[in-house]
Amino acid sequence: WASSLRYHQGTYYVSTFAKTTGKTHVYSTKNIEKGPWKAVSFQPSLHDHSLFFDDDGRVYMVYGSGKIQLAELTADVAGLKPGTKPQVIIENASAPAGATPGLPAEGSQLFKIKGKYYLFNIAWPRGGMRTVIVHRADKITGPYEGRVALQDLGVAQGGLIDTPGGEWFAYLFRDFGAVGRIPYLVPVQWASGWPVVGSPAGKVPATLALPANKSLRPGLVASDEFARRAGEPALPLVWQWNHNPAPALWSVAERPGYLRLKTGRVDSSFLLARNTLTQRTIGPACAGTVALDVAHLHPGDFAGLAVLQKRYGLVGVQASQGAKAIVIVSAESEKPVELQRIPLTQNQVYFKIECDFQDRRDVATFFY
């Protein structure tokens, strides 16, 4: 779900919400790199909220879909402030985008700039595209006036950042098929107290004249090798689990140079499996290759390489009583269909997937 990241008086806050728990969750730390993190949660679940620290010391969350509401929190961000109730500050935040909203305005991000409050939302008019809507007010409670800030290429949802040099940008995203949501920086100018998004206004530029990256993490791509030197993390941040981590089901130390995965439970679907390690695919094209040692697979085990989404595809080795086979599966129809099965008589096998996202081709090619 949409989350909010804030830094206030030496503390980092990450907040989000969950429909499954019915709660709003807030995590805080003094050290965003090493922790420790403090976790608190409270009811209700505030949809797509923006955590906001005002300069008078009061703390709020702005949230909602279509109807945008304001809730005041305790100073320690541990829950709703006793004696207060959320109030509606914008009855229909979708209105600037037209009279036929498909996706009501949500994804709130609130900023205070030169004494004015600016609220960014995303809406999706029926038959149109994702749209950035901005409202502004002199008081946090309103009244707010709004306008469409950007309606180009479906780039939307996010807010504002400024640089020490005085430049302003909107940070937004664009849904781009199977490669996922692409982050965008879009230049912003100011005119008559309003942010003017785009260069030229209303248009998302394909490129930006940005300085070379000199950050501590210059690469989005890291080595896929599993050999580790002393002090190195077992799994760098480019790796993600497709579930809450299950530490007992994996190791890079049991067999140095290898990732060892173990079966923790029997699942009916690849999407439910609890030992699936992932990396984000990268556009416009990318490829991944893996060597598997399947000597210790037990009957019923399945190990392989996949492109992971609802309509996934995979190539792997399935073990049955006394035999193993290479199996290729497509869930293009949202149900897994076995396309090919080849007997396997050796213990080492190589798999490769090539992904082509150019011009939204969204094609994955599998090799064994």
Side-chain angles (χ1 to χ4, degrees), residues 115-149:
K116 283 188 179 289
Y117 297 87
Y118 294 87
L119 178 64
F120 274 62
N121 292 103
I122 179 177
W124 194 346
R126 189 171 288 113
M129 69 178 72
R130 284 179 167 85
T131 301
V132 179
I133 296 174
V134 177
H135 286 81
R136 72 177 185 182
D138 293 321
K139 296 194 298 183
I140 195 169
T141 53
Y144 282 85
E145 55 177 333
R147 58 170 59 176
V148 170

PDB file of all heavy atoms in Angstrom, residues 115-149:
ATOM      1  N   GLY A 115       4.460  29.014   3.681  1.00  0.00           N
ATOM      2  CA  GLY A 115       3.244  29.303   4.439  1.00  0.00           C
ATOM      3  C   GLY A 115       1.970  28.720   3.877  1.00  0.00           C
ATOM      4  O   GLY A 115       0.916  28.805   4.529  1.00  0.00           O
ATOM      5  N   LYS A 116       2.015  28.126   2.688  1.00  0.00           N
ATOM      6  CA  LYS A 116       0.813  27.524   2.093  1.00  0.00           C
ATOM      7  C   LYS A 116       0.908  25.999   2.127  1.00  0.00           C
ATOM      8  O   LYS A 116       2.003  25.428   2.058  1.00  0.00           O
ATOM      9  CB  LYS A 116       0.618  27.986   0.644  1.00  0.00           C
ATOM     10  CG  LYS A 116       0.062  29.397   0.496  1.00  0.00           C
ATOM     11  CD  LYS A 116      -0.282  29.687  -0.966  1.00  0.00           C
ATOM     12  CE  LYS A 116      -0.865  31.087  -1.148  1.00  0.00           C
ATOM     13  NZ  LYS A 116      -2.227  31.198  -0.576  1.00  0.00           N
ATOM     14  N   TYR A 117      -0.242  25.368   2.200  1.00  0.00           N
ATOM     15  CA  TYR A 117      -0.327  23.910   2.195  1.00  0.00           C
ATOM     16  C   TYR A 117      -0.664  23.443   0.781  1.00  0.00           C
ATOM     17  O   TYR A 117      -1.605  23.946   0.158  1.00  0.00           O
ATOM     18  CB  TYR A 117      -1.401  23.424   3.169  1.00  0.00           C
ATOM     19  CG  TYR A 117      -1.102  23.788   4.614  1.00  0.00           C
ATOM     20  CD1 TYR A 117      -1.504  25.010   5.145  1.00  0.00           C
ATOM     21  CD2 TYR A 117      -0.402  22.901   5.436  1.00  0.00           C
ATOM     22  CE1 TYR A 117      -1.217  25.345   6.465  1.00  0.00           C
ATOM     23  CE2 TYR A 117      -0.120  23.218   6.762  1.00  0.00           C
ATOM     24  CZ  TYR A 117      -0.525  24.450   7.261  1.00  0.00           C
ATOM     25  OH  TYR A 117      -0.232  24.779   8.569  1.00  0.00           O
ATOM     26  N   TYR A 118       0.117  22.479   0.296  1.00  0.00           N
ATOM     27  CA  TYR A 118      -0.084  21.923  -1.044  1.00  0.00           C
ATOM     28  C   TYR A 118      -0.319  20.417  -0.927  1.00  0.00           C
ATOM     29  O   TYR A 118       0.508  19.701  -0.355  1.00  0.00           O
ATOM     30  CB  TYR A 118       1.121  22.191  -1.940  1.00  0.00           C
ATOM     31  CG  TYR A 118       1.325  23.659  -2.253  1.00  0.00           C
ATOM     32  CD1 TYR A 118       2.068  24.470  -1.400  1.00  0.00           C
ATOM     33  CD2 TYR A 118       0.760  24.228  -3.394  1.00  0.00           C
ATOM     34  CE1 TYR A 118       2.255  25.820  -1.679  1.00  0.00           C
ATOM     35  CE2 TYR A 118       0.950  25.576  -3.683  1.00  0.00           C
ATOM     36  CZ  TYR A 118       1.685  26.372  -2.821  1.00  0.00           C
ATOM     37  OH  TYR A 118       1.858  27.697  -3.097  1.00  0.00           O
ATOM     38  N   LEU A 119      -1.430  19.966  -1.462  1.00  0.00           N
ATOM     39  CA  LEU A 119      -1.791  18.553  -1.392  1.00  0.00           C
ATOM     40  C   LEU A 119      -1.783  17.956  -2.796  1.00  0.00           C
ATOM     41  O   LEU A 119      -2.505  18.424  -3.680  1.00  0.00           O
ATOM     42  CB  LEU A 119      -3.185  18.378  -0.769  1.00  0.00           C
ATOM     43  CG  LEU A 119      -3.696  16.943  -0.680  1.00  0.00           C
ATOM     44  CD1 LEU A 119      -2.827  16.105   0.253  1.00  0.00           C
ATOM     45  CD2 LEU A 119      -5.150  16.904  -0.225  1.00  0.00           C
ATOM     46  N   PHE A 120      -0.932  16.941  -2.999  1.00  0.00           N
ATOM     47  CA  PHE A 120      -0.864  16.219  -4.267  1.00  0.00           C
ATOM     48  C   PHE A 120      -1.694  14.947  -4.167  1.00  0.00           C
ATOM     49  O   PHE A 120      -1.618  14.217  -3.181  1.00  0.00           O
ATOM     50  CB  PHE A 120       0.587  15.837  -4.584  1.00  0.00           C
ATOM     51  CG  PHE A 120       1.374  16.906  -5.289  1.00  0.00           C
ATOM     52  CD1 PHE A 120       1.602  18.138  -4.679  1.00  0.00           C
ATOM     53  CD2 PHE A 120       1.891  16.695  -6.560  1.00  0.00           C
ATOM     54  CE1 PHE A 120       2.339  19.120  -5.319  1.00  0.00           C
ATOM     55  CE2 PHE A 120       2.621  17.683  -7.211  1.00  0.00           C
ATOM     56  CZ  PHE A 120       2.842  18.900  -6.594  1.00  0.00           C
ATOM     57  N   ASN A 121      -2.474  14.661  -5.217  1.00  0.00           N
ATOM     58  CA  ASN A 121      -3.222  13.407  -5.330  1.00  0.00           C
ATOM     59  C   ASN A 121      -3.140  12.886  -6.752  1.00  0.00           C
ATOM     60  O   ASN A 121      -2.824  13.617  -7.688  1.00  0.00           O
ATOM     61  CB  ASN A 121      -4.695  13.596  -4.955  1.00  0.00           C
ATOM     62  CG  ASN A 121      -4.916  13.893  -3.493  1.00  0.00           C
ATOM     63  OD1 ASN A 121      -5.168  15.039  -3.120  1.00  0.00           O
ATOM     64  ND2 ASN A 121      -4.814  12.877  -2.659  1.00  0.00           N
ATOM     65  N   ILE A 122      -3.445  11.609  -6.891  1.00  0.00           N
ATOM     66  CA  ILE A 122      -3.594  10.990  -8.210  1.00  0.00           C
ATOM     67  C   ILE A 122      -5.065  10.672  -8.418  1.00  0.00           C
ATOM     68  O   ILE A 122      -5.768  10.238  -7.499  1.00  0.00           O
ATOM     69  CB  ILE A 122      -2.753   9.690  -8.331  1.00  0.00           C
ATOM     70  CG1 ILE A 122      -2.949   9.048  -9.711  1.00  0.00           C
ATOM     71  CG2 ILE A 122      -3.078   8.715  -7.222  1.00  0.00           C
ATOM     72  CD1 ILE A 122      -2.095   7.804  -9.943  1.00  0.00           C
ATOM     73  N   ALA A 123      -5.554  10.916  -9.632  1.00  0.00           N
ATOM     74  CA  ALA A 123      -6.890  10.483 -10.033  1.00  0.00           C
ATOM     75  C   ALA A 123      -6.792   9.886 -11.424  1.00  0.00           C
ATOM     76  O   ALA A 123      -5.808  10.109 -12.148  1.00  0.00           O
ATOM     77  CB  ALA A 123      -7.872  11.650 -10.031  1.00  0.00           C
ATOM     78  N   TRP A 124      -7.790   9.119 -11.785  1.00  0.00           N
ATOM     79  CA  TRP A 124      -7.806   8.491 -13.117  1.00  0.00           C
ATOM     80  C   TRP A 124      -9.195   8.659 -13.709  1.00  0.00           C
ATOM     81  O   TRP A 124     -10.082   7.835 -13.492  1.00  0.00           O
ATOM     82  CB  TRP A 124      -7.429   7.024 -12.998  1.00  0.00           C
ATOM     83  CG  TRP A 124      -7.083   6.360 -14.308  1.00  0.00           C
ATOM     84  CD1 TRP A 124      -7.316   6.835 -15.566  1.00  0.00           C
ATOM     85  CD2 TRP A 124      -6.434   5.106 -14.482  1.00  0.00           C
ATOM     86  NE1 TRP A 124      -6.863   5.953 -16.514  1.00  0.00           N
ATOM     87  CE2 TRP A 124      -6.311   4.874 -15.872  1.00  0.00           C
ATOM     88  CE3 TRP A 124      -5.949   4.147 -13.601  1.00  0.00           C
ATOM     89  CZ2 TRP A 124      -5.728   3.727 -16.384  1.00  0.00           C
ATOM     90  CZ3 TRP A 124      -5.374   3.005 -14.113  1.00  0.00           C
ATOM     91  CH2 TRP A 124      -5.261   2.796 -15.485  1.00  0.00           C
ATOM     92  N   PRO A 125      -9.428   9.728 -14.465  1.00  0.00           N
ATOM     93  CA  PRO A 125     -10.747   9.940 -15.050  1.00  0.00           C
ATOM     94  C   PRO A 125     -11.123   8.784 -15.979  1.00  0.00           C
ATOM     95  O   PRO A 125     -10.268   8.250 -16.687  1.00  0.00           O
ATOM     96  CB  PRO A 125     -10.585  11.252 -15.841  1.00  0.00           C
ATOM     97  CG  PRO A 125      -9.350  11.886 -15.293  1.00  0.00           C
ATOM     98  CD  PRO A 125      -8.470  10.772 -14.826  1.00  0.00           C
ATOM     99  N   ARG A 126     -12.375   8.424 -15.944  1.00  0.00           N
ATOM    100  CA  ARG A 126     -12.835   7.325 -16.801  1.00  0.00           C
ATOM    101  C   ARG A 126     -12.597   7.678 -18.270  1.00  0.00           C
ATOM    102  O   ARG A 126     -12.971   8.739 -18.751  1.00  0.00           O
ATOM    103  CB  ARG A 126     -14.320   7.055 -16.543  1.00  0.00           C
ATOM    104  CG  ARG A 126     -14.851   5.797 -17.231  1.00  0.00           C
ATOM    105  CD  ARG A 126     -16.253   5.450 -16.774  1.00  0.00           C
ATOM    106  NE  ARG A 126     -16.256   4.939 -15.403  1.00  0.00           N
ATOM    107  CZ  ARG A 126     -16.792   5.570 -14.372  1.00  0.00           C
ATOM    108  NH1 ARG A 126     -17.354   6.747 -14.543  1.00  0.00           N
ATOM    109  NH2 ARG A 126     -16.768   5.037 -13.161  1.00  0.00           N
ATOM    110  N   GLY A 127     -11.920   6.754 -18.985  1.00  0.00           N
ATOM    111  CA  GLY A 127     -11.599   6.992 -20.387  1.00  0.00           C
ATOM    112  C   GLY A 127     -10.365   7.850 -20.595  1.00  0.00           C
ATOM    113  O   GLY A 127      -9.992   8.121 -21.739  1.00  0.00           O
ATOM    114  N   GLY A 128      -9.715   8.258 -19.497  1.00  0.00           N
ATOM    115  CA  GLY A 128      -8.538   9.108 -19.628  1.00  0.00           C
ATOM    116  C   GLY A 128      -7.290   8.417 -19.133  1.00  0.00           C
ATOM    117  O   GLY A 128      -7.090   7.221 -19.351  1.00  0.00           O
ATOM    118  N   MET A 129      -6.432   9.165 -18.440  1.00  0.00           N
ATOM    119  CA  MET A 129      -5.166   8.627 -17.951  1.00  0.00           C
ATOM    120  C   MET A 129      -4.940   9.072 -16.513  1.00  0.00           C
ATOM    121  O   MET A 129      -5.636   9.961 -15.994  1.00  0.00           O
ATOM    122  CB  MET A 129      -4.013   9.095 -18.837  1.00  0.00           C
ATOM    123  CG  MET A 129      -3.723  10.581 -18.737  1.00  0.00           C
ATOM    124  SD  MET A 129      -2.316  11.114 -19.756  1.00  0.00           S
ATOM    125  CE  MET A 129      -3.033  11.001 -21.397  1.00  0.00           C
ATOM    126  N   ARG A 130      -3.971   8.442 -15.868  1.00  0.00           N
ATOM    127  CA  ARG A 130      -3.600   8.886 -14.524  1.00  0.00           C
ATOM    128  C   ARG A 130      -3.216  10.366 -14.560  1.00  0.00           C
ATOM    129  O   ARG A 130      -2.476  10.806 -15.447  1.00  0.00           O
ATOM    130  CB  ARG A 130      -2.442   8.043 -13.992  1.00  0.00           C
ATOM    131  CG  ARG A 130      -2.860   6.661 -13.530  1.00  0.00           C
ATOM    132  CD  ARG A 130      -1.652   5.879 -13.030  1.00  0.00           C
ATOM    133  NE  ARG A 130      -2.021   4.681 -12.306  1.00  0.00           N
ATOM    134  CZ  ARG A 130      -2.293   3.511 -12.849  1.00  0.00           C
ATOM    135  NH1 ARG A 130      -2.232   3.384 -14.169  1.00  0.00           N
ATOM    136  NH2 ARG A 130      -2.617   2.482 -12.097  1.00  0.00           N
ATOM    137  N   THR A 131      -3.687  11.090 -13.562  1.00  0.00           N
ATOM    138  CA  THR A 131      -3.607  12.543 -13.558  1.00  0.00           C
ATOM    139  C   THR A 131      -3.131  13.045 -12.200  1.00  0.00           C
ATOM    140  O   THR A 131      -3.543  12.515 -11.159  1.00  0.00           O
ATOM    141  CB  THR A 131      -4.999  13.141 -13.878  1.00  0.00           C
ATOM    142  OG1 THR A 131      -5.430  12.665 -15.160  1.00  0.00           O
ATOM    143  CG2 THR A 131      -4.979  14.656 -13.873  1.00  0.00           C
ATOM    144  N   VAL A 132      -2.262  14.061 -12.202  1.00  0.00           N
ATOM    145  CA  VAL A 132      -1.825  14.702 -10.962  1.00  0.00           C
ATOM    146  C   VAL A 132      -2.755  15.877 -10.659  1.00  0.00           C
ATOM    147  O   VAL A 132      -2.940  16.764 -11.504  1.00  0.00           O
ATOM    148  CB  VAL A 132      -0.377  15.215 -11.065  1.00  0.00           C
ATOM    149  CG1 VAL A 132       0.035  15.908  -9.760  1.00  0.00           C
ATOM    150  CG2 VAL A 132       0.575  14.069 -11.378  1.00  0.00           C
ATOM    151  N   ILE A 133      -3.323  15.873  -9.463  1.00  0.00           N
ATOM    152  CA  ILE A 133      -4.166  16.971  -8.996  1.00  0.00           C
ATOM    153  C   ILE A 133      -3.475  17.633  -7.810  1.00  0.00           C
ATOM    154  O   ILE A 133      -2.959  16.939  -6.925  1.00  0.00           O
ATOM    155  CB  ILE A 133      -5.564  16.470  -8.595  1.00  0.00           C
ATOM    156  CG1 ILE A 133      -6.299  15.903  -9.811  1.00  0.00           C
ATOM    157  CG2 ILE A 133      -6.381  17.586  -7.951  1.00  0.00           C
ATOM    158  CD1 ILE A 133      -7.628  15.269  -9.481  1.00  0.00           C
ATOM    159  N   VAL A 134      -3.466  18.963  -7.796  1.00  0.00           N
ATOM    160  CA  VAL A 134      -2.888  19.713  -6.674  1.00  0.00           C
ATOM    161  C   VAL A 134      -3.958  20.633  -6.093  1.00  0.00           C
ATOM    162  O   VAL A 134      -4.652  21.333  -6.846  1.00  0.00           O
ATOM    163  CB  VAL A 134      -1.670  20.543  -7.106  1.00  0.00           C
ATOM    164  CG1 VAL A 134      -1.143  21.371  -5.927  1.00  0.00           C
ATOM    165  CG2 VAL A 134      -0.565  19.651  -7.631  1.00  0.00           C
ATOM    166  N   HIS A 135      -4.096  20.594  -4.770  1.00  0.00           N
ATOM    167  CA  HIS A 135      -4.918  21.564  -4.044  1.00  0.00           C
ATOM    168  C   HIS A 135      -4.016  22.403  -3.156  1.00  0.00           C
ATOM    169  O   HIS A 135      -2.980  21.923  -2.685  1.00  0.00           O
ATOM    170  CB  HIS A 135      -5.964  20.855  -3.175  1.00  0.00           C
ATOM    171  CG  HIS A 135      -7.111  20.273  -3.940  1.00  0.00           C
ATOM    172  ND1 HIS A 135      -7.033  19.044  -4.592  1.00  0.00           N
ATOM    173  CD2 HIS A 135      -8.368  20.744  -4.167  1.00  0.00           C
ATOM    174  CE1 HIS A 135      -8.199  18.793  -5.174  1.00  0.00           C
ATOM    175  NE2 HIS A 135      -9.026  19.801  -4.934  1.00  0.00           N
ATOM    176  N   ARG A 136      -4.418  23.644  -2.907  1.00  0.00           N
ATOM    177  CA  ARG A 136      -3.654  24.490  -1.997  1.00  0.00           C
ATOM    178  C   ARG A 136      -4.603  25.232  -1.057  1.00  0.00           C
ATOM    179  O   ARG A 136      -5.784  25.450  -1.367  1.00  0.00           O
ATOM    180  CB  ARG A 136      -2.786  25.486  -2.764  1.00  0.00           C
ATOM    181  CG  ARG A 136      -3.559  26.603  -3.436  1.00  0.00           C
ATOM    182  CD  ARG A 136      -2.636  27.616  -4.116  1.00  0.00           C
ATOM    183  NE  ARG A 136      -3.418  28.735  -4.653  1.00  0.00           N
ATOM    184  CZ  ARG A 136      -2.904  29.761  -5.326  1.00  0.00           C
ATOM    185  NH1 ARG A 136      -1.602  29.801  -5.568  1.00  0.00           N
ATOM    186  NH2 ARG A 136      -3.677  30.744  -5.763  1.00  0.00           N
ATOM    187  N   ALA A 137      -4.053  25.617   0.101  1.00  0.00           N
ATOM    188  CA  ALA A 137      -4.856  26.330   1.103  1.00  0.00           C
ATOM    189  C   ALA A 137      -3.922  27.118   2.004  1.00  0.00           C
ATOM    190  O   ALA A 137      -2.728  26.810   2.123  1.00  0.00           O
ATOM    191  CB  ALA A 137      -5.687  25.350   1.926  1.00  0.00           C
ATOM    192  N   ASP A 138      -4.488  28.131   2.680  1.00  0.00           N
ATOM    193  CA  ASP A 138      -3.718  28.915   3.637  1.00  0.00           C
ATOM    194  C   ASP A 138      -3.695  28.267   5.009  1.00  0.00           C
ATOM    195  O   ASP A 138      -2.802  28.534   5.820  1.00  0.00           O
ATOM    196  CB  ASP A 138      -4.296  30.327   3.750  1.00  0.00           C
ATOM    197  CG  ASP A 138      -4.110  31.122   2.461  1.00  0.00           C
ATOM    198  OD1 ASP A 138      -3.034  30.996   1.832  1.00  0.00           O
ATOM    199  OD2 ASP A 138      -5.046  31.843   2.074  1.00  0.00           O
ATOM    200  N   LYS A 139      -4.672  27.409   5.292  1.00  0.00           N
ATOM    201  CA  LYS A 139      -4.744  26.677   6.558  1.00  0.00           C
ATOM    202  C   LYS A 139      -4.847  25.188   6.251  1.00  0.00           C
ATOM    203  O   LYS A 139      -5.428  24.795   5.221  1.00  0.00           O
ATOM    204  CB  LYS A 139      -5.949  27.121   7.388  1.00  0.00           C
ATOM    205  CG  LYS A 139      -5.906  28.569   7.831  1.00  0.00           C
ATOM    206  CD  LYS A 139      -6.937  28.862   8.916  1.00  0.00           C
ATOM    207  CE  LYS A 139      -8.358  28.620   8.419  1.00  0.00           C
ATOM    208  NZ  LYS A 139      -9.353  28.989   9.463  1.00  0.00           N
ATOM    209  N   ILE A 140      -4.333  24.359   7.131  1.00  0.00           N
ATOM    210  CA  ILE A 140      -4.329  22.919   6.876  1.00  0.00           C
ATOM    211  C   ILE A 140      -5.743  22.367   6.779  1.00  0.00           C
ATOM    212  O   ILE A 140      -5.999  21.378   6.081  1.00  0.00           O
ATOM    213  CB  ILE A 140      -3.499  22.173   7.950  1.00  0.00           C
ATOM    214  CG1 ILE A 140      -3.199  20.746   7.482  1.00  0.00           C
ATOM    215  CG2 ILE A 140      -4.201  22.197   9.308  1.00  0.00           C
ATOM    216  CD1 ILE A 140      -2.183  20.013   8.337  1.00  0.00           C
ATOM    217  N   THR A 141      -6.690  23.034   7.439  1.00  0.00           N
ATOM    218  CA  THR A 141      -8.081  22.575   7.406  1.00  0.00           C
ATOM    219  C   THR A 141      -8.845  23.110   6.201  1.00  0.00           C
ATOM    220  O   THR A 141      -9.994  22.768   5.990  1.00  0.00           O
ATOM    221  CB  THR A 141      -8.798  23.002   8.699  1.00  0.00           C
ATOM    222  OG1 THR A 141      -8.616  24.421   8.889  1.00  0.00           O
ATOM    223  CG2 THR A 141      -8.247  22.257   9.903  1.00  0.00           C
ATOM    224  N   GLY A 142      -8.215  23.967   5.403  1.00  0.00           N
ATOM    225  CA  GLY A 142      -8.863  24.525   4.226  1.00  0.00           C
ATOM    226  C   GLY A 142      -9.404  25.924   4.484  1.00  0.00           C
ATOM    227  O   GLY A 142      -9.100  26.526   5.520  1.00  0.00           O
ATOM    228  N   PRO A 143     -10.174  26.456   3.532  1.00  0.00           N
ATOM    229  CA  PRO A 143     -10.663  25.813   2.307  1.00  0.00           C
ATOM    230  C   PRO A 143      -9.560  25.636   1.253  1.00  0.00           C
ATOM    231  O   PRO A 143      -8.632  26.440   1.183  1.00  0.00           O
ATOM    232  CB  PRO A 143     -11.736  26.781   1.811  1.00  0.00           C
ATOM    233  CG  PRO A 143     -11.293  28.120   2.332  1.00  0.00           C
ATOM    234  CD  PRO A 143     -10.675  27.851   3.662  1.00  0.00           C
ATOM    235  N   TYR A 144      -9.689  24.572   0.444  1.00  0.00           N
ATOM    236  CA  TYR A 144      -8.719  24.237  -0.581  1.00  0.00           C
ATOM    237  C   TYR A 144      -9.279  24.577  -1.962  1.00  0.00           C
ATOM    238  O   TYR A 144     -10.473  24.404  -2.231  1.00  0.00           O
ATOM    239  CB  TYR A 144      -8.386  22.749  -0.533  1.00  0.00           C
ATOM    240  CG  TYR A 144      -7.431  22.381   0.575  1.00  0.00           C
ATOM    241  CD1 TYR A 144      -7.900  22.117   1.864  1.00  0.00           C
ATOM    242  CD2 TYR A 144      -6.063  22.278   0.345  1.00  0.00           C
ATOM    243  CE1 TYR A 144      -7.020  21.767   2.892  1.00  0.00           C
ATOM    244  CE2 TYR A 144      -5.178  21.940   1.357  1.00  0.00           C
ATOM    245  CZ  TYR A 144      -5.669  21.683   2.630  1.00  0.00           C
ATOM    246  OH  TYR A 144      -4.792  21.351   3.643  1.00  0.00           O
ATOM    247  N   GLU A 145      -8.398  25.045  -2.839  1.00  0.00           N
ATOM    248  CA  GLU A 145      -8.715  25.200  -4.253  1.00  0.00           C
ATOM    249  C   GLU A 145      -7.801  24.274  -5.036  1.00  0.00           C
ATOM    250  O   GLU A 145      -6.636  24.081  -4.668  1.00  0.00           O
ATOM    251  CB  GLU A 145      -8.528  26.652  -4.704  1.00  0.00           C
ATOM    252  CG  GLU A 145      -7.142  27.224  -4.427  1.00  0.00           C
ATOM    253  CD  GLU A 145      -6.968  28.637  -4.940  1.00  0.00           C
ATOM    254  OE1 GLU A 145      -7.666  29.001  -5.908  1.00  0.00           O
ATOM    255  OE2 GLU A 145      -6.122  29.376  -4.395  1.00  0.00           O
ATOM    256  N   GLY A 146      -8.317  23.659  -6.106  1.00  0.00           N
ATOM    257  CA  GLY A 146      -7.538  22.645  -6.804  1.00  0.00           C
ATOM    258  C   GLY A 146      -7.493  22.831  -8.301  1.00  0.00           C
ATOM    259  O   GLY A 146      -8.301  23.561  -8.884  1.00  0.00           O
ATOM    260  N   ARG A 147      -6.515  22.178  -8.928  1.00  0.00           N
ATOM    261  CA  ARG A 147      -6.383  22.191 -10.386  1.00  0.00           C
ATOM    262  C   ARG A 147      -5.604  20.954 -10.828  1.00  0.00           C
ATOM    263  O   ARG A 147      -4.918  20.316 -10.024  1.00  0.00           O
ATOM    264  CB  ARG A 147      -5.662  23.446 -10.870  1.00  0.00           C
ATOM    265  CG  ARG A 147      -4.265  23.628 -10.293  1.00  0.00           C
ATOM    266  CD  ARG A 147      -3.485  24.754 -10.972  1.00  0.00           C
ATOM    267  NE  ARG A 147      -4.127  26.050 -10.879  1.00  0.00           N
ATOM    268  CZ  ARG A 147      -3.576  27.192 -11.334  1.00  0.00           C
ATOM    269  NH1 ARG A 147      -2.368  27.155 -11.906  1.00  0.00           N
ATOM    270  NH2 ARG A 147      -4.212  28.342 -11.227  1.00  0.00           N
ATOM    271  N   VAL A 148      -5.724  20.639 -12.113  1.00  0.00           N
ATOM    272  CA  VAL A 148      -4.908  19.571 -12.698  1.00  0.00           C
ATOM    273  C   VAL A 148      -3.497  20.097 -12.879  1.00  0.00           C
ATOM    274  O   VAL A 148      -3.288  21.155 -13.488  1.00  0.00           O
ATOM    275  CB  VAL A 148      -5.487  19.107 -14.049  1.00  0.00           C
ATOM    276  CG1 VAL A 148      -4.501  18.178 -14.764  1.00  0.00           C
ATOM    277  CG2 VAL A 148      -6.820  18.394 -13.842  1.00  0.00           C
ATOM    278  N   ALA A 149      -2.512  19.375 -12.340  1.00  0.00           N
ATOM    279  CA  ALA A 149      -1.119  19.800 -12.439  1.00  0.00           C
ATOM    280  C   ALA A 149      -0.385  19.096 -13.569  1.00  0.00           C
ATOM    281  O   ALA A 149       0.575  19.651 -14.112  1.00  0.00           O
ATOM    282  CB  ALA A 149      -0.397  19.544 -11.123  1.00  0.00           C
TER     283      ALA A 149
END
